[in-house]
Amino acid sequence: LHVNARDRSHIRGARAWLYFNDAGATEMWGDVSIEHPRDLLAVQLAHLGDFYNGNGPVQRDRIARVLPAWDKSVPGFGYVLGMYAFGLEEMGDYPRAEETGYQALALNRRDPWAVHAVAHVYEMQARLADGIHFLTSRAEDWAPDNAFAFHNWWHLGLYHLDLGDTRTVLELYDTRIRPKQSGAALEMLDASAMLWRLMLLGVDVGQRWMPLAESWSARIEDGLYAFNDCHALMALVGAGRFKEAEMVTALLAQAARRGGTNARMAGDVGHPLAKGLLAFGRGDYAGAIAAIMPIRHIAIRFGGSHAQRDLLSLTVIEAALRSGNKPLARALAAERLALKPHSPLALRFAARQRRGEGDEAGATAAERAAENFVSAVGLQVASAAAA
């Protein structure tokens, strides 16, 4: 069997990934894409590797390197544009990300990654009406027969969570995000992340934690990817399985001492985050703050997207409010509102913070502003649907 140089590079990349050198594998596939910019497999594997390894700038730039070799005449061009749109979004270039995402969808309406990129733009800018209309009006394109659909449904749930419509969020969880018991890690990630957010907001999720924790329990000895381990811990904490959550925390401490890409992820972010999540679950809000605050702005190092890692910020805001740490609650509420001034959730955090300091007038004004945004979003969504 003849194997050429490009094939050997692919094989070396796969072998590196198999032996936990995720960063090395990603660079190998990236090198293939430089030599062969139309090798869509190498381009996609490098792009996904950058995502899992937390390489934000490279997610954008690696795709930019190959773009000159592509145009509408080359099959797969739309997929390359979809990847570029996501890289642009993760680097905060929201106008170009949105434009590029729509260019990708003009070439292929069923590209779930391009849909995903645009959904991220709307999430980061708290453009809730645009996000709800975009995903629901195009659901027949991206949802049927698509193994990635659950994640885009998760994004729809985030918009409704921001609005305070937790009934719709729970319905999406039960029917779209986790409609049945599944051992697929990506699905379990979204399930854990959504239930944790609901728990932070004081929503009773019933027995939903229990089967999810059971699915994660079968995997807690893996210790291969800190991002997954922390989401497993959320489910275990939510289900009250603290002994197993402690095992995950210990596993992350061990992973930080081993070689490979995951050692950096576990040491820098995964292990301290696990300690913080476990502390929060036990009501030790000061402990949660102490563990999570120092890693919030380096959390990109353990992969995922800005939207996924936002869970860290939400957790410390809630911990500050619950613990009565008024200076920190004031600072984090201000930070959140500056980042997302049109977010009803940000305004509700601000209202709680102001009420905690005895500023009833300020709290009422923030609550009224949140209600006005919710009403405006409802009218915009209804108008867009009618049109």
PDB file of all heavy atoms in Angstrom, residues 37-73:
ATOM      1  N   PRO A  37      -3.983  23.379   1.247  1.00  0.00           N
ATOM      2  CA  PRO A  37      -5.063  24.189   1.828  1.00  0.00           C
ATOM      3  C   PRO A  37      -6.475  23.728   1.464  1.00  0.00           C
ATOM      4  O   PRO A  37      -7.433  24.175   2.099  1.00  0.00           O
ATOM      5  CB  PRO A  37      -4.774  25.595   1.291  1.00  0.00           C
ATOM      6  CG  PRO A  37      -3.925  25.387   0.086  1.00  0.00           C
ATOM      7  CD  PRO A  37      -3.114  24.166   0.359  1.00  0.00           C
ATOM      8  N   ARG A  38      -6.590  22.829   0.481  1.00  0.00           N
ATOM      9  CA  ARG A  38      -7.916  22.296   0.155  1.00  0.00           C
ATOM     10  C   ARG A  38      -8.162  20.917   0.778  1.00  0.00           C
ATOM     11  O   ARG A  38      -9.139  20.241   0.430  1.00  0.00           O
ATOM     12  CB  ARG A  38      -8.102  22.224  -1.359  1.00  0.00           C
ATOM     13  CG  ARG A  38      -8.257  23.589  -2.013  1.00  0.00           C
ATOM     14  CD  ARG A  38      -8.626  23.440  -3.480  1.00  0.00           C
ATOM     15  NE  ARG A  38      -8.725  24.741  -4.135  1.00  0.00           N
ATOM     16  CZ  ARG A  38      -9.033  24.893  -5.432  1.00  0.00           C
ATOM     17  NH1 ARG A  38      -9.253  23.836  -6.183  1.00  0.00           N
ATOM     18  NH2 ARG A  38      -9.098  26.101  -5.943  1.00  0.00           N
ATOM     19  N   ASP A  39      -7.291  20.510   1.667  1.00  0.00           N
ATOM     20  CA  ASP A  39      -7.509  19.260   2.395  1.00  0.00           C
ATOM     21  C   ASP A  39      -8.516  19.566   3.510  1.00  0.00           C
ATOM     22  O   ASP A  39      -8.153  19.968   4.614  1.00  0.00           O
ATOM     23  CB  ASP A  39      -6.191  18.745   2.972  1.00  0.00           C
ATOM     24  CG  ASP A  39      -6.323  17.360   3.606  1.00  0.00           C
ATOM     25  OD1 ASP A  39      -7.404  17.058   4.147  1.00  0.00           O
ATOM     26  OD2 ASP A  39      -5.339  16.601   3.571  1.00  0.00           O
ATOM     27  N   LEU A  40      -9.786  19.379   3.210  1.00  0.00           N
ATOM     28  CA  LEU A  40     -10.831  19.802   4.136  1.00  0.00           C
ATOM     29  C   LEU A  40     -10.792  19.014   5.438  1.00  0.00           C
ATOM     30  O   LEU A  40     -11.129  19.543   6.506  1.00  0.00           O
ATOM     31  CB  LEU A  40     -12.209  19.655   3.468  1.00  0.00           C
ATOM     32  CG  LEU A  40     -13.400  20.278   4.198  1.00  0.00           C
ATOM     33  CD1 LEU A  40     -13.165  21.744   4.493  1.00  0.00           C
ATOM     34  CD2 LEU A  40     -14.676  20.110   3.372  1.00  0.00           C
ATOM     35  N   LEU A  41     -10.356  17.745   5.376  1.00  0.00           N
ATOM     36  CA  LEU A  41     -10.250  16.963   6.603  1.00  0.00           C
ATOM     37  C   LEU A  41      -9.201  17.566   7.532  1.00  0.00           C
ATOM     38  O   LEU A  41      -9.442  17.742   8.735  1.00  0.00           O
ATOM     39  CB  LEU A  41      -9.886  15.516   6.276  1.00  0.00           C
ATOM     40  CG  LEU A  41      -9.670  14.598   7.491  1.00  0.00           C
ATOM     41  CD1 LEU A  41     -10.938  14.509   8.328  1.00  0.00           C
ATOM     42  CD2 LEU A  41      -9.210  13.215   7.041  1.00  0.00           C
ATOM     43  N   ALA A  42      -8.034  17.908   6.984  1.00  0.00           N
ATOM     44  CA  ALA A  42      -6.982  18.513   7.810  1.00  0.00           C
ATOM     45  C   ALA A  42      -7.438  19.852   8.365  1.00  0.00           C
ATOM     46  O   ALA A  42      -7.188  20.171   9.539  1.00  0.00           O
ATOM     47  CB  ALA A  42      -5.709  18.681   6.986  1.00  0.00           C
ATOM     48  N   VAL A  43      -8.116  20.654   7.543  1.00  0.00           N
ATOM     49  CA  VAL A  43      -8.590  21.963   7.976  1.00  0.00           C
ATOM     50  C   VAL A  43      -9.577  21.807   9.136  1.00  0.00           C
ATOM     51  O   VAL A  43      -9.472  22.482  10.167  1.00  0.00           O
ATOM     52  CB  VAL A  43      -9.252  22.720   6.807  1.00  0.00           C
ATOM     53  CG1 VAL A  43      -9.946  23.991   7.303  1.00  0.00           C
ATOM     54  CG2 VAL A  43      -8.216  23.074   5.740  1.00  0.00           C
ATOM     55  N   GLN A  44     -10.516  20.875   8.981  1.00  0.00           N
ATOM     56  CA  GLN A  44     -11.525  20.711  10.029  1.00  0.00           C
ATOM     57  C   GLN A  44     -10.925  20.130  11.312  1.00  0.00           C
ATOM     58  O   GLN A  44     -11.252  20.570  12.423  1.00  0.00           O
ATOM     59  CB  GLN A  44     -12.667  19.820   9.556  1.00  0.00           C
ATOM     60  CG  GLN A  44     -13.785  19.732  10.590  1.00  0.00           C
ATOM     61  CD  GLN A  44     -14.877  18.772  10.208  1.00  0.00           C
ATOM     62  OE1 GLN A  44     -14.618  17.694   9.676  1.00  0.00           O
ATOM     63  NE2 GLN A  44     -16.116  19.149  10.481  1.00  0.00           N
ATOM     64  N   LEU A  45     -10.047  19.126  11.180  1.00  0.00           N
ATOM     65  CA  LEU A  45      -9.444  18.537  12.379  1.00  0.00           C
ATOM     66  C   LEU A  45      -8.610  19.564  13.136  1.00  0.00           C
ATOM     67  O   LEU A  45      -8.636  19.614  14.374  1.00  0.00           O
ATOM     68  CB  LEU A  45      -8.592  17.330  11.988  1.00  0.00           C
ATOM     69  CG  LEU A  45      -9.354  16.086  11.534  1.00  0.00           C
ATOM     70  CD1 LEU A  45      -8.379  15.026  11.022  1.00  0.00           C
ATOM     71  CD2 LEU A  45     -10.227  15.520  12.641  1.00  0.00           C
ATOM     72  N   ALA A  46      -7.873  20.396  12.417  1.00  0.00           N
ATOM     73  CA  ALA A  46      -7.089  21.444  13.085  1.00  0.00           C
ATOM     74  C   ALA A  46      -8.011  22.455  13.756  1.00  0.00           C
ATOM     75  O   ALA A  46      -7.746  22.900  14.889  1.00  0.00           O
ATOM     76  CB  ALA A  46      -6.180  22.126  12.065  1.00  0.00           C
ATOM     77  N   HIS A  47      -9.089  22.813  13.080  1.00  0.00           N
ATOM     78  CA  HIS A  47     -10.045  23.774  13.641  1.00  0.00           C
ATOM     79  C   HIS A  47     -10.668  23.227  14.929  1.00  0.00           C
ATOM     80  O   HIS A  47     -10.742  23.932  15.946  1.00  0.00           O
ATOM     81  CB  HIS A  47     -11.134  24.055  12.604  1.00  0.00           C
ATOM     82  CG  HIS A  47     -12.164  25.053  13.044  1.00  0.00           C
ATOM     83  ND1 HIS A  47     -11.883  26.382  13.257  1.00  0.00           N
ATOM     84  CD2 HIS A  47     -13.498  24.906  13.295  1.00  0.00           C
ATOM     85  CE1 HIS A  47     -12.986  27.021  13.620  1.00  0.00           C
ATOM     86  NE2 HIS A  47     -13.974  26.149  13.663  1.00  0.00           N
ATOM     87  N   LEU A  48     -11.087  21.964  14.898  1.00  0.00           N
ATOM     88  CA  LEU A  48     -11.681  21.370  16.097  1.00  0.00           C
ATOM     89  C   LEU A  48     -10.634  21.208  17.196  1.00  0.00           C
ATOM     90  O   LEU A  48     -10.931  21.404  18.383  1.00  0.00           O
ATOM     91  CB  LEU A  48     -12.306  20.015  15.753  1.00  0.00           C
ATOM     92  CG  LEU A  48     -13.552  20.067  14.873  1.00  0.00           C
ATOM     93  CD1 LEU A  48     -13.998  18.661  14.495  1.00  0.00           C
ATOM     94  CD2 LEU A  48     -14.689  20.810  15.568  1.00  0.00           C
ATOM     95  N   GLY A  49      -9.404  20.857  16.814  1.00  0.00           N
ATOM     96  CA  GLY A  49      -8.341  20.763  17.809  1.00  0.00           C
ATOM     97  C   GLY A  49      -8.096  22.090  18.487  1.00  0.00           C
ATOM     98  O   GLY A  49      -7.905  22.159  19.709  1.00  0.00           O
ATOM     99  N   ASP A  50      -8.099  23.170  17.708  1.00  0.00           N
ATOM    100  CA  ASP A  50      -7.932  24.501  18.296  1.00  0.00           C
ATOM    101  C   ASP A  50      -9.066  24.803  19.278  1.00  0.00           C
ATOM    102  O   ASP A  50      -8.846  25.399  20.338  1.00  0.00           O
ATOM    103  CB  ASP A  50      -7.900  25.566  17.193  1.00  0.00           C
ATOM    104  CG  ASP A  50      -6.623  25.518  16.374  1.00  0.00           C
ATOM    105  OD1 ASP A  50      -5.575  25.138  16.924  1.00  0.00           O
ATOM    106  OD2 ASP A  50      -6.679  25.848  15.177  1.00  0.00           O
ATOM    107  N   PHE A  51     -10.281  24.394  18.929  1.00  0.00           N
ATOM    108  CA  PHE A  51     -11.426  24.613  19.807  1.00  0.00           C
ATOM    109  C   PHE A  51     -11.252  23.850  21.124  1.00  0.00           C
ATOM    110  O   PHE A  51     -11.384  24.412  22.216  1.00  0.00           O
ATOM    111  CB  PHE A  51     -12.708  24.168  19.105  1.00  0.00           C
ATOM    112  CG  PHE A  51     -13.928  24.176  19.978  1.00  0.00           C
ATOM    113  CD1 PHE A  51     -14.538  25.374  20.323  1.00  0.00           C
ATOM    114  CD2 PHE A  51     -14.467  22.993  20.457  1.00  0.00           C
ATOM    115  CE1 PHE A  51     -15.666  25.388  21.141  1.00  0.00           C
ATOM    116  CE2 PHE A  51     -15.591  23.002  21.265  1.00  0.00           C
ATOM    117  CZ  PHE A  51     -16.195  24.195  21.607  1.00  0.00           C
ATOM    118  N   TYR A  52     -10.929  22.570  21.025  1.00  0.00           N
ATOM    119  CA  TYR A  52     -10.797  21.756  22.231  1.00  0.00           C
ATOM    120  C   TYR A  52      -9.594  22.173  23.081  1.00  0.00           C
ATOM    121  O   TYR A  52      -9.607  21.999  24.308  1.00  0.00           O
ATOM    122  CB  TYR A  52     -10.686  20.275  21.864  1.00  0.00           C
ATOM    123  CG  TYR A  52     -11.971  19.681  21.329  1.00  0.00           C
ATOM    124  CD1 TYR A  52     -12.004  19.024  20.108  1.00  0.00           C
ATOM    125  CD2 TYR A  52     -13.152  19.791  22.054  1.00  0.00           C
ATOM    126  CE1 TYR A  52     -13.185  18.480  19.613  1.00  0.00           C
ATOM    127  CE2 TYR A  52     -14.344  19.259  21.566  1.00  0.00           C
ATOM    128  CZ  TYR A  52     -14.357  18.601  20.348  1.00  0.00           C
ATOM    129  OH  TYR A  52     -15.530  18.079  19.865  1.00  0.00           O
ATOM    130  N   ASN A  53      -8.560  22.716  22.435  1.00  0.00           N
ATOM    131  CA  ASN A  53      -7.367  23.106  23.164  1.00  0.00           C
ATOM    132  C   ASN A  53      -7.400  24.553  23.643  1.00  0.00           C
ATOM    133  O   ASN A  53      -6.461  25.013  24.299  1.00  0.00           O
ATOM    134  CB  ASN A  53      -6.128  22.909  22.286  1.00  0.00           C
ATOM    135  CG  ASN A  53      -5.861  21.452  21.978  1.00  0.00           C
ATOM    136  OD1 ASN A  53      -6.141  20.586  22.795  1.00  0.00           O
ATOM    137  ND2 ASN A  53      -5.339  21.168  20.799  1.00  0.00           N
ATOM    138  N   GLY A  54      -8.457  25.295  23.308  1.00  0.00           N
ATOM    139  CA  GLY A  54      -8.569  26.671  23.769  1.00  0.00           C
ATOM    140  C   GLY A  54      -7.670  27.648  23.042  1.00  0.00           C
ATOM    141  O   GLY A  54      -7.210  28.626  23.633  1.00  0.00           O
ATOM    142  N   ASN A  55      -7.438  27.410  21.754  1.00  0.00           N
ATOM    143  CA  ASN A  55      -6.581  28.298  20.960  1.00  0.00           C
ATOM    144  C   ASN A  55      -7.439  29.284  20.167  1.00  0.00           C
ATOM    145  O   ASN A  55      -7.635  29.136  18.961  1.00  0.00           O
ATOM    146  CB  ASN A  55      -5.698  27.486  20.006  1.00  0.00           C
ATOM    147  CG  ASN A  55      -4.709  26.612  20.747  1.00  0.00           C
ATOM    148  OD1 ASN A  55      -4.271  26.969  21.834  1.00  0.00           O
ATOM    149  ND2 ASN A  55      -4.371  25.471  20.184  1.00  0.00           N
ATOM    150  N   GLY A  56      -7.954  30.293  20.848  1.00  0.00           N
ATOM    151  CA  GLY A  56      -8.881  31.237  20.228  1.00  0.00           C
ATOM    152  C   GLY A  56      -8.358  31.914  18.980  1.00  0.00           C
ATOM    153  O   GLY A  56      -8.966  31.814  17.903  1.00  0.00           O
ATOM    154  N   PRO A  57      -7.231  32.631  19.051  1.00  0.00           N
ATOM    155  CA  PRO A  57      -6.748  33.337  17.848  1.00  0.00           C
ATOM    156  C   PRO A  57      -6.465  32.405  16.684  1.00  0.00           C
ATOM    157  O   PRO A  57      -6.708  32.747  15.525  1.00  0.00           O
ATOM    158  CB  PRO A  57      -5.467  34.024  18.347  1.00  0.00           C
ATOM    159  CG  PRO A  57      -5.648  34.139  19.828  1.00  0.00           C
ATOM    160  CD  PRO A  57      -6.412  32.925  20.232  1.00  0.00           C
ATOM    161  N   VAL A  58      -5.961  31.200  16.998  1.00  0.00           N
ATOM    162  CA  VAL A  58      -5.613  30.280  15.915  1.00  0.00           C
ATOM    163  C   VAL A  58      -6.866  29.707  15.256  1.00  0.00           C
ATOM    164  O   VAL A  58      -6.849  29.370  14.077  1.00  0.00           O
ATOM    165  CB  VAL A  58      -4.695  29.155  16.432  1.00  0.00           C
ATOM    166  CG1 VAL A  58      -4.163  28.313  15.285  1.00  0.00           C
ATOM    167  CG2 VAL A  58      -3.535  29.743  17.222  1.00  0.00           C
ATOM    168  N   GLN A  59      -7.961  29.605  16.010  1.00  0.00           N
ATOM    169  CA  GLN A  59      -9.214  29.159  15.402  1.00  0.00           C
ATOM    170  C   GLN A  59      -9.576  30.045  14.217  1.00  0.00           C
ATOM    171  O   GLN A  59     -10.093  29.563  13.209  1.00  0.00           O
ATOM    172  CB  GLN A  59     -10.346  29.215  16.429  1.00  0.00           C
ATOM    173  CG  GLN A  59     -10.379  28.054  17.381  1.00  0.00           C
ATOM    174  CD  GLN A  59     -11.550  28.165  18.334  1.00  0.00           C
ATOM    175  OE1 GLN A  59     -11.677  29.128  19.071  1.00  0.00           O
ATOM    176  NE2 GLN A  59     -12.402  27.189  18.327  1.00  0.00           N
ATOM    177  N   ARG A  60      -9.322  31.315  14.373  1.00  0.00           N
ATOM    178  CA  ARG A  60      -9.601  32.257  13.285  1.00  0.00           C
ATOM    179  C   ARG A  60      -8.497  32.224  12.235  1.00  0.00           C
ATOM    180  O   ARG A  60      -8.771  32.089  11.034  1.00  0.00           O
ATOM    181  CB  ARG A  60      -9.721  33.660  13.870  1.00  0.00           C
ATOM    182  CG  ARG A  60      -9.894  34.777  12.842  1.00  0.00           C
ATOM    183  CD  ARG A  60      -9.598  36.132  13.475  1.00  0.00           C
ATOM    184  NE  ARG A  60      -8.207  36.205  13.956  1.00  0.00           N
ATOM    185  CZ  ARG A  60      -7.766  37.142  14.790  1.00  0.00           C
ATOM    186  NH1 ARG A  60      -8.577  38.063  15.251  1.00  0.00           N
ATOM    187  NH2 ARG A  60      -6.497  37.147  15.174  1.00  0.00           N
ATOM    188  N   ASP A  61      -7.262  32.317  12.675  1.00  0.00           N
ATOM    189  CA  ASP A  61      -6.152  32.533  11.745  1.00  0.00           C
ATOM    190  C   ASP A  61      -5.835  31.298  10.915  1.00  0.00           C
ATOM    191  O   ASP A  61      -5.415  31.409   9.762  1.00  0.00           O
ATOM    192  CB  ASP A  61      -4.914  32.988  12.501  1.00  0.00           C
ATOM    193  CG  ASP A  61      -5.122  34.321  13.205  1.00  0.00           C
ATOM    194  OD1 ASP A  61      -6.071  35.042  12.827  1.00  0.00           O
ATOM    195  OD2 ASP A  61      -4.357  34.642  14.133  1.00  0.00           O
ATOM    196  N   ARG A  62      -6.020  30.116  11.474  1.00  0.00           N
ATOM    197  CA  ARG A  62      -5.714  28.909  10.722  1.00  0.00           C
ATOM    198  C   ARG A  62      -6.638  28.781   9.505  1.00  0.00           C
ATOM    199  O   ARG A  62      -6.227  28.289   8.451  1.00  0.00           O
ATOM    200  CB  ARG A  62      -5.836  27.676  11.620  1.00  0.00           C
ATOM    201  CG  ARG A  62      -4.962  26.525  11.136  1.00  0.00           C
ATOM    202  CD  ARG A  62      -5.169  25.292  11.976  1.00  0.00           C
ATOM    203  NE  ARG A  62      -4.762  25.379  13.358  1.00  0.00           N
ATOM    204  CZ  ARG A  62      -3.509  25.231  13.788  1.00  0.00           C
ATOM    205  NH1 ARG A  62      -2.532  25.066  12.919  1.00  0.00           N
ATOM    206  NH2 ARG A  62      -3.232  25.289  15.083  1.00  0.00           N
ATOM    207  N   ILE A  63      -7.880  29.225   9.671  1.00  0.00           N
ATOM    208  CA  ILE A  63      -8.811  29.191   8.537  1.00  0.00           C
ATOM    209  C   ILE A  63      -8.482  30.310   7.550  1.00  0.00           C
ATOM    210  O   ILE A  63      -8.532  30.125   6.331  1.00  0.00           O
ATOM    211  CB  ILE A  63     -10.264  29.307   9.022  1.00  0.00           C
ATOM    212  CG1 ILE A  63     -10.565  28.225  10.066  1.00  0.00           C
ATOM    213  CG2 ILE A  63     -11.229  29.178   7.846  1.00  0.00           C
ATOM    214  CD1 ILE A  63     -10.351  26.806   9.596  1.00  0.00           C
ATOM    215  N   ALA A  64      -8.092  31.474   8.074  1.00  0.00           N
ATOM    216  CA  ALA A  64      -7.719  32.582   7.189  1.00  0.00           C
ATOM    217  C   ALA A  64      -6.563  32.186   6.269  1.00  0.00           C
ATOM    218  O   ALA A  64      -6.488  32.629   5.112  1.00  0.00           O
ATOM    219  CB  ALA A  64      -7.339  33.809   8.015  1.00  0.00           C
ATOM    220  N   ARG A  65      -5.668  31.331   6.750  1.00  0.00           N
ATOM    221  CA  ARG A  65      -4.517  30.921   5.950  1.00  0.00           C
ATOM    222  C   ARG A  65      -4.922  30.168   4.683  1.00  0.00           C
ATOM    223  O   ARG A  65      -4.229  30.253   3.665  1.00  0.00           O
ATOM    224  CB  ARG A  65      -3.600  30.008   6.781  1.00  0.00           C
ATOM    225  CG  ARG A  65      -2.950  30.669   7.978  1.00  0.00           C
ATOM    226  CD  ARG A  65      -2.281  29.619   8.862  1.00  0.00           C
ATOM    227  NE  ARG A  65      -1.888  30.171  10.155  1.00  0.00           N
ATOM    228  CZ  ARG A  65      -1.484  29.431  11.184  1.00  0.00           C
ATOM    229  NH1 ARG A  65      -1.412  28.113  11.070  1.00  0.00           N
ATOM    230  NH2 ARG A  65      -1.138  30.011  12.321  1.00  0.00           N
ATOM    231  N   VAL A  66      -6.012  29.412   4.770  1.00  0.00           N
ATOM    232  CA  VAL A  66      -6.379  28.567   3.623  1.00  0.00           C
ATOM    233  C   VAL A  66      -7.429  29.217   2.727  1.00  0.00           C
ATOM    234  O   VAL A  66      -7.658  28.736   1.610  1.00  0.00           O
ATOM    235  CB  VAL A  66      -6.892  27.184   4.096  1.00  0.00           C
ATOM    236  CG1 VAL A  66      -5.863  26.514   5.003  1.00  0.00           C
ATOM    237  CG2 VAL A  66      -8.247  27.277   4.792  1.00  0.00           C
ATOM    238  N   LEU A  67      -8.063  30.275   3.185  1.00  0.00           N
ATOM    239  CA  LEU A  67      -9.173  30.871   2.428  1.00  0.00           C
ATOM    240  C   LEU A  67      -8.819  31.246   0.988  1.00  0.00           C
ATOM    241  O   LEU A  67      -9.648  31.066   0.088  1.00  0.00           O
ATOM    242  CB  LEU A  67      -9.719  32.091   3.172  1.00  0.00           C
ATOM    243  CG  LEU A  67     -10.812  31.828   4.206  1.00  0.00           C
ATOM    244  CD1 LEU A  67     -11.185  33.123   4.917  1.00  0.00           C
ATOM    245  CD2 LEU A  67     -12.045  31.207   3.555  1.00  0.00           C
ATOM    246  N   PRO A  68      -7.615  31.779   0.720  1.00  0.00           N
ATOM    247  CA  PRO A  68      -7.319  32.147  -0.673  1.00  0.00           C
ATOM    248  C   PRO A  68      -7.385  30.979  -1.657  1.00  0.00           C
ATOM    249  O   PRO A  68      -7.534  31.205  -2.864  1.00  0.00           O
ATOM    250  CB  PRO A  68      -5.889  32.709  -0.585  1.00  0.00           C
ATOM    251  CG  PRO A  68      -5.774  33.224   0.809  1.00  0.00           C
ATOM    252  CD  PRO A  68      -6.552  32.239   1.631  1.00  0.00           C
ATOM    253  N   ALA A  69      -7.283  29.749  -1.150  1.00  0.00           N
ATOM    254  CA  ALA A  69      -7.326  28.579  -2.034  1.00  0.00           C
ATOM    255  C   ALA A  69      -8.755  28.128  -2.320  1.00  0.00           C
ATOM    256  O   ALA A  69      -8.960  27.183  -3.082  1.00  0.00           O
ATOM    257  CB  ALA A  69      -6.541  27.427  -1.411  1.00  0.00           C
ATOM    258  N   TRP A  70      -9.730  28.795  -1.729  1.00  0.00           N
ATOM    259  CA  TRP A  70     -11.129  28.375  -1.848  1.00  0.00           C
ATOM    260  C   TRP A  70     -11.962  29.471  -2.511  1.00  0.00           C
ATOM    261  O   TRP A  70     -11.687  30.658  -2.369  1.00  0.00           O
ATOM    262  CB  TRP A  70     -11.715  28.088  -0.468  1.00  0.00           C
ATOM    263  CG  TRP A  70     -11.117  26.901   0.213  1.00  0.00           C
ATOM    264  CD1 TRP A  70      -9.944  26.839   0.897  1.00  0.00           C
ATOM    265  CD2 TRP A  70     -11.674  25.594   0.277  1.00  0.00           C
ATOM    266  NE1 TRP A  70      -9.728  25.573   1.405  1.00  0.00           N
ATOM    267  CE2 TRP A  70     -10.779  24.782   1.033  1.00  0.00           C
ATOM    268  CE3 TRP A  70     -12.846  25.011  -0.215  1.00  0.00           C
ATOM    269  CZ2 TRP A  70     -11.019  23.432   1.298  1.00  0.00           C
ATOM    270  CZ3 TRP A  70     -13.091  23.673   0.056  1.00  0.00           C
ATOM    271  CH2 TRP A  70     -12.190  22.898   0.795  1.00  0.00           C
ATOM    272  N   ASP A  71     -12.998  29.037  -3.205  1.00  0.00           N
ATOM    273  CA  ASP A  71     -14.023  29.945  -3.709  1.00  0.00           C
ATOM    274  C   ASP A  71     -15.272  29.123  -3.980  1.00  0.00           C
ATOM    275  O   ASP A  71     -15.299  27.910  -3.716  1.00  0.00           O
ATOM    276  CB  ASP A  71     -13.553  30.702  -4.959  1.00  0.00           C
ATOM    277  CG  ASP A  71     -13.151  29.775  -6.097  1.00  0.00           C
ATOM    278  OD1 ASP A  71     -13.855  28.770  -6.335  1.00  0.00           O
ATOM    279  OD2 ASP A  71     -12.124  30.052  -6.746  1.00  0.00           O
ATOM    280  N   LYS A  72     -16.295  29.747  -4.495  1.00  0.00           N
ATOM    281  CA  LYS A  72     -17.578  29.077  -4.689  1.00  0.00           C
ATOM    282  C   LYS A  72     -17.502  27.890  -5.639  1.00  0.00           C
ATOM    283  O   LYS A  72     -18.373  27.005  -5.613  1.00  0.00           O
ATOM    284  CB  LYS A  72     -18.620  30.077  -5.194  1.00  0.00           C
ATOM    285  CG  LYS A  72     -19.018  31.125  -4.174  1.00  0.00           C
ATOM    286  CD  LYS A  72     -20.066  32.074  -4.739  1.00  0.00           C
ATOM    287  CE  LYS A  72     -20.451  33.140  -3.720  1.00  0.00           C
ATOM    288  NZ  LYS A  72     -21.466  34.092  -4.267  1.00  0.00           N
ATOM    289  N   SER A  73     -16.486  27.870  -6.473  1.00  0.00           N
ATOM    290  CA  SER A  73     -16.370  26.769  -7.432  1.00  0.00           C
ATOM    291  C   SER A  73     -15.827  25.495  -6.789  1.00  0.00           C
ATOM    292  O   SER A  73     -15.869  24.429  -7.402  1.00  0.00           O
ATOM    293  CB  SER A  73     -15.458  27.178  -8.594  1.00  0.00           C
ATOM    294  OG  SER A  73     -14.113  27.313  -8.156  1.00  0.00           O
TER     295      SER A  73
END
